[in-house]
Amino acid sequence: DGSVIICTGGFAADFGSDSLLAQTRPDLMHLPTTNGEHCTGDGIKMSMAIGAGTVDMESVQVHPTGLVHPDEPDAKVKFLAAEALRGVGGLMLD
């Protein structure tokens, strides 16, 4: 009997009230994400359902630079603005 390590995608695009994000970092629920809409933690949830343990689930990276589409300023999923954009003179507005 040995340990099994499973690595799956993230869960930061799951904004449901019973999501992994709500359970582990409810303080981040109001923020948008630069994770794809597919990042809902399905692999983690399936593993937990059969008794898998987890570690460091509260360690969620918050990336400061998501592009805001003018037609959808309140969208919860943003496009990640890579560091390269800032490196060539992109302006960051708060």
Side-chain angles (χ1 to χ4, degrees):
D1 291 346
S3 298
V4 175
I5 298 173
I6 184 170
C7 300
T8 71
F11 57 90
D14 187 359
F15 295 106
S17 60
D18 64 342
S19 70
L20 294 172
L21 188 62
Q23 294 171 27
T24 58
R25 290 299 303 271
D27 57 312
L28 301 180
M29 288 291 289
H30 70 286
L31 295 175
T33 184
T34 55
N35 282 262
E37 292 179 353
H38 60 278
C39 294
T40 56
D42 295 338
I44 299 168
K45 292 174 189 174
M46 287 187 291
S47 299
M48 291 171 65
I50 62 169
T54 59
V55 295
D56 299 327
M57 292 289 288
E58 70 283 351
S59 298
V60 176
Q61 179 184 12
V62 177
H63 201 286
T65 51
L67 294 177
V68 177
H69 191 289
D71 294 338
E72 300 179 278
D74 297 323
K76 289 293 278 184
V77 176
K78 308 283 189 211
F79 179 79
L80 179 62
E83 284 74 12
L85 292 177
R86 291 182 283 160
V88 294
L91 299 176
M92 290 181 62
L93 303 175
D94 186 357

